[in-house]
Amino acid sequence: MDAEVAISLIRTAAADLAMEPWQRPSDAYLAQLGLDALMAGIEAPSLLLLAGLARGEHPQARELFDLVLEELGLFPLTSDDLAKARWTAVQWWAGQIVACQLDPVHGAKLVYEEAAAELDYPDVLQPIVDLARTLDLPNHQPPDQQHIHDRVTSAARDFHATEANRNRSL
């Protein structure tokens, strides 16, 4: 993960903290995000504390995360910043799926749950979103996991190629 992706994920998590309690990122996720940001080379005094939280200290994560946001100058969050952050996160997740670094089912759910709605379900994300929705449907027969993995990976590869072509033409 590079610093731009880490900052995008931090911005996305910050926006999600304003959601309903059951939709907010967990304390454990915030601590892991702190560790990922450190590994990406981001520096902030409170980031060390956030990343170093032991499991029993996770209730402190939200307070430390707020300090990290202040120290990194990520407030106030504008809608343009959040949209860009979500697109960056989606591009990174798709790349991680294609590179076999992220489980395709988990990646599809991240795209669906963390970005698609806030980006107003763009057409380019629809194949991944549709697959993620399929996974959430009650089903009498469990889906063929390899088939689902292959379809999500293919959709991520197509998205990644589309975005690469679009970025080259800008």
Side-chain angles (χ1 to χ4, degrees):
M1 173 182 310
D2 67 16
E4 180 184 0
V5 170
I7 291 292
S8 293
L9 293 174
I10 289 170
R11 280 190 170 128
T12 300
D16 291 346
L17 286 174
M19 298 177 100
E20 297 296 329
W22 61 88
Q23 295 174 306
R24 293 178 189 155
S26 70
D27 295 338
Y29 176 79
L30 295 177
Q32 181 62 49
L33 191 54
L35 182 59
D36 292 344
L38 274 180
M39 299 296 289
I42 296 173
E43 296 180 13
S46 298
L47 195 54
L48 289 168
L49 299 171
L50 178 62
L53 289 177
R55 199 172 278 182
E57 299 171 319
H58 282 175
Q60 300 170 35
R62 292 189 194 284
E63 182 180 332
L64 288 170
F65 188 75
D66 287 343
L67 291 172
V68 167
L69 291 172
E70 287 179 34
E71 292 166 1
L72 294 175
L74 297 179
F75 274 138
L77 295 170
T78 66
S79 60
D80 288 342
D81 290 339
L82 290 174
K84 183 180 179 208
R86 290 187 196 284
W87 276 114
T88 300
V90 168
Q91 290 167 349
W92 186 72
W93 290 325
Q96 292 294 294
I97 291 169
V98 171
C100 300
Q101 300 296 313
L102 177 62
D103 174 70
V105 169
H106 182 66
K109 287 182 179 186
L110 285 170
V111 169
Y112 174 49
E113 295 169 358
E114 300 295 331
E118 288 79 6
L119 295 170
D120 201 24
Y121 296 103
D123 291 341
V124 72
L125 293 182
Q126 209 56 51
I128 297 172
V129 168
D130 289 344
L131 288 164
R133 285 180 175 154
T134 299
L135 293 166
D136 287 341
L137 293 175
N139 198 344
H140 297 312
Q141 294 180 336
D144 176 2
Q145 288 298 314
Q146 189 58 48
H147 180 70
I148 294 291
H149 281 205
D150 292 346
R151 289 183 62 199
V152 170
T153 301
S154 178
R157 187 177 296 112
D158 292 347
F159 167 77
H160 212 347
T162 300
E163 287 302 298
N165 287 336
R166 188 169 61 163
N167 289 339
R168 271 191 229 118
S169 66
L170 293 180

